[in-house]
Every structure is written in structure tokens, then in C-alpha cells.
Amino acid sequence: MTIFEIIILAIIQGLTEFLPISSSAHLILPSEVLGWNDQGLAYDVAVHVGSLLAVMIYFRADIWRLANAWLRNGLGKNQTNDSRLAWWVIIGTIPAVLFGFAFKDFIEVYGRSALVIACTTIGFGLLLWYADSKAKQIKTVNGITWKNAIFIGIAQAIAIIPGTSRSGITMTAGLMIGLDRESAARFSFLLSIPVILGAGLLASLDLVQAPGAVDWQALLFGAGFSFVSAYACIYLFLAWISKIGMLPFVIYRLILGIALLLFVLL
């Protein structure tokens, strides 16, 4: 890859990992539409590390508080709001792990196409619009129940299909159970931490077994630009989402999906 491609793909990863517009779709598209070479496994690991560091640093106080509460009260009868929320993050992660192991190979073969991405981008974009327009917005993250956590976790598992958007579908599910927009986004971001960590570890294991030299400059640029764009994205999204709602992202998804359909059909 050229330096330009390295930087653009890193920024795309950082922004789209947490916006409800699908990071996997946007990382597949340059090779499908522009003919860019595949970025390779090592680069995928690097940009995921950048995104992971961004979300962990931004939510460092929350992570420390939840981990501390879970260690103190998580296995006892006297649960606190924080220890329960830590449990909900754990429970919400399980479906993604199960779906990932069960369907990863199938999705790799049949799901990574522009047509699939176009359909999921439009379909789940419309679902996000419906959830946002009908949302009651009466709950915060402390109002989440174990049933809610499972529901959002199953939604997250569906995001293994490219174009769905992990953040988009978990926010959709959060809005459907009555969370306000900021709480839906915050829980989605917390839920992303174990998933991104797991995906990065699996890719790292594959990378260790893969032959060939490593382009360390590409990895450093990728991780760095992914970190900066992801951190800025999280900060601005949480600051603005209660005011602007999901409609701008829905419109973007519809435009992107229609453009992809035209690209495939014409």
C-alpha cells in the first residue's frame, strides 16, 4: 500500500468503527470499488489496536469503575449499578463470540461482496431510522436488564455480516428497549471493547502463523491515525448525538447503499 492508502484506510477504520455506518463495509469498499490492494492481516491488527486504545482511553474511568465494582460485588448478592452494568457487558459479548466462531468462515466466503454490503447498509439503516423515530428514550444505562443485555448482544452478533455496522445495530437495539441516544451509544461503545479486543487477538494469532515480512511503517501509521480518528469520533459523537439524532447517518447509509447497488447492477 502507498502512504496515502495507509492513512485513508486508518482514518476510515477509526471513524466507522464507532459511527453507525459499518467499518467492515468501508474497509472492503476500496478494494471492491477503487481496486486497491487488500490491506493485509497485519494492517487489520494495527488499525484495530488503534481503535481499541482510543475507546479504552476515552472510557478509562468507566472501565476502572466497572471492573472494580465487578471484582468487589459481581459474584455476591449485593450488586451495585456498576457491577450489574459490568455483567451486562459480559453477557452482551457472549452472542458475538458464539456467532463469530460459528459463521466466520461462511461470512468470509459469501458475505464480503458489494451486493451484500449494499443490501445490509440500506436495510439496517432503515431499521436504525425506525428505532430512532419511535424511541421512548426513557432509560439510562443503569436501567438495562439482563434481558436487554442479551437482546443487544444478539444484535451485535448479527453485525458479523458486513455492512450491518456493529455500533449501528447495537444502538438500534438500545433505542428499541427505551434507552436515550447517549446511553445507547455509551453502552454500544463499552460493548465494543471485548469484541474489538477478541478480534484483534484472533487476527494476531493468524498473523503469527502467516509468512512474510512485516511493514512496520504501515502498521505504525495505521495504528496512529486509527487512534486519533477513533478518539475524535467517540468524543464528537457523544457530544452531538442527543442533538442531531440518527437521521444524518441514516441518510448517509441510504446514499451509500443505493450507490453500491448502482455500481453492482450497472
Side-chain angles (χ1 to χ4, degrees), residues 39-50:
Q39 59 266 26
L41 188 58
Y43 185 81
D44 282 344
V45 172
V47 294
H48 274 85
V49 168

Side-chain angles (χ1 to χ4, degrees), residues 145-164:
T145 66
W146 67 269
K147 292 181 180 179
N148 297 155
I150 292 175
F151 178 67
I152 298 174
I154 292 173
Q156 177 172 244
I158 296 172
I160 191 176
I161 305 171
T164 301

Side-chain angles (χ1 to χ4, degrees), residues 11-172:
I11 293 173
I12 288 174
Q13 161 65 25
L15 291 176
T16 58
E17 182 67 50
F18 300 108
L19 292 179
I21 55 177
S22 178
S23 63
S24 58
H26 285 77
L27 288 175
I28 291 171
L29 289 177
S31 60
E32 288 279 342
V33 178
L34 301 177
W36 289 8
N37 293 327
D38 184 85
Q39 59 266 26
L41 188 58
Y43 185 81
D44 282 344
V45 172
V47 294
H48 274 85
V49 168
S51 297
L52 179 64
L53 287 176
V55 70
M56 290 187 71
I57 290 175
Y58 187 89
F59 288 105
R60 60 191 181 279
D62 300 72
I63 294 170
W64 174 256
R65 192 179 68 252
L66 295 181
N68 188 49
W70 189 84
L71 290 173
R72 288 176 178 272
N73 306 102
L75 301 178
K77 295 182 179 179
N78 299 319
Q79 297 286 324
T80 65
N81 285 335
D82 287 336
S83 65
R84 274 192 292 269
L85 183 56
W87 271 118
W88 304 158
V89 171
I90 295 170
I91 290 172
T93 302
I94 294 172
V97 174
L98 296 178
F99 275 56
F101 278 111
F103 299 107
K104 180 178 182 292
D105 293 338
F106 179 85
I107 294 298
E108 286 289 335
V109 175
Y110 298 104
R112 297 172 68 87
S113 71
L115 180 59
V116 171
I117 293 170
C119 293
T120 52
T121 296
I122 293 172
F124 287 105
L126 291 173
L127 187 62
L128 175 61
W129 167 78
Y130 176 81
D132 191 46
S133 63
K134 301 295 182 180
K136 295 180 180 178
Q137 299 195 48
I138 56 176
K139 286 185 182 180
T140 65
V141 288
N142 289 332
I144 296 174
T145 66
W146 67 269
K147 292 181 180 179
N148 297 155
I150 292 175
F151 178 67
I152 298 174
I154 292 173
Q156 177 172 244
I158 296 172
I160 191 176
I161 305 171
T164 301
S165 173
R166 190 212 60 79
S167 57
I169 197 168
T170 51
M171 290 181 204
T172 298

